Amino acid sequence: MKLDSMYQDVILDHYKHPHGRGLRDGDAEVHHVNPTCGDEITLRVKLNGTTIADVSYEGQGCSISQASASVLNDLLVGKELTEAQKVQELFLELMQSKGKVEPDDAMEEVLEDAVAFAGVSKYPARVKCALLSWMAWKDATAQALAERETA
């Protein structure tokens, strides 16, 4: 089986069987829209101290944007904030590589199913789809932390 085909299967599986879908209680909620294609997501983040207790979402859009939200849920829930931010930064680096970064074992260990989006990085319009939930998570987390500081 070719690697690209395997990656497509991972994306389709997350699209058909999403993890974390359905809005639950959270500390902060954001709504992001990709104006290029109309994909949208409402995402909530719940923190327990410095641990990500939950990430839930509702959205509509292409298989890439929806699968990416599912992968984000798998990767970030249960992680400490600093570790989750490193995962987000590595995924962003992969998405901004324009197809020049080939995931190695170390990257795959951190990103797990998210390496399936490596091929997406060759298509700038699709990169926005893959990053939609990740940017929403980053904003919701910043909002939750800011609200905690003012409480």
Side-chain angles (χ1 to χ4, degrees), residues 56-77:
S56 62
Y57 65 94
E58 276 297 331
Q60 60 186 26
C62 68
S63 60
I64 291 171
S65 70
Q66 298 304 294
S68 186
S70 175
V71 169
L72 177 146
N73 174 274
D74 283 356
L75 284 175
L76 301 187
V77 171

Side-chain angles (χ1 to χ4, degrees), residues 26-29 45-47 139-149:
D27 297 321
E29 175 181 302
V45 67
K46 179 136 186 86
L47 302 176
D139 286 352
T141 301
Q143 188 181 89
L145 290 171
E147 287 176 14
R148 179 188 293 173
E149 287 178 12

Side-chain angles (χ1 to χ4, degrees), residues 116-138:
F117 296 89
V120 171
S121 69
K122 298 173 190 169
Y123 308 99
R126 307 306 277 164
V127 167
K128 290 180 183 179
C129 300
L131 288 176
L132 184 65
S133 59
W134 294 83
M135 296 301 107
W137 173 79
K138 187 176 178 181

Side-chain angles (χ1 to χ4, degrees), residues 9-21 57 63 66-67 69-71 73-74 113:
D9 289 346
V10 168
I11 291 171
L12 285 175
D13 186 54
H14 275 277
Y15 176 66
K16 291 177 182 174
H17 310 286
H19 305 165
R21 189 171 185 87
Y57 65 94
S63 60
Q66 298 304 294
S70 175
V71 169
N73 174 274
D74 283 356
D113 280 355

Side-chain angles (χ1 to χ4, degrees), residues 14 51 79 91 143:
H14 275 277
T51 302
K79 286 204 171 34
F91 185 71
Q143 188 181 89

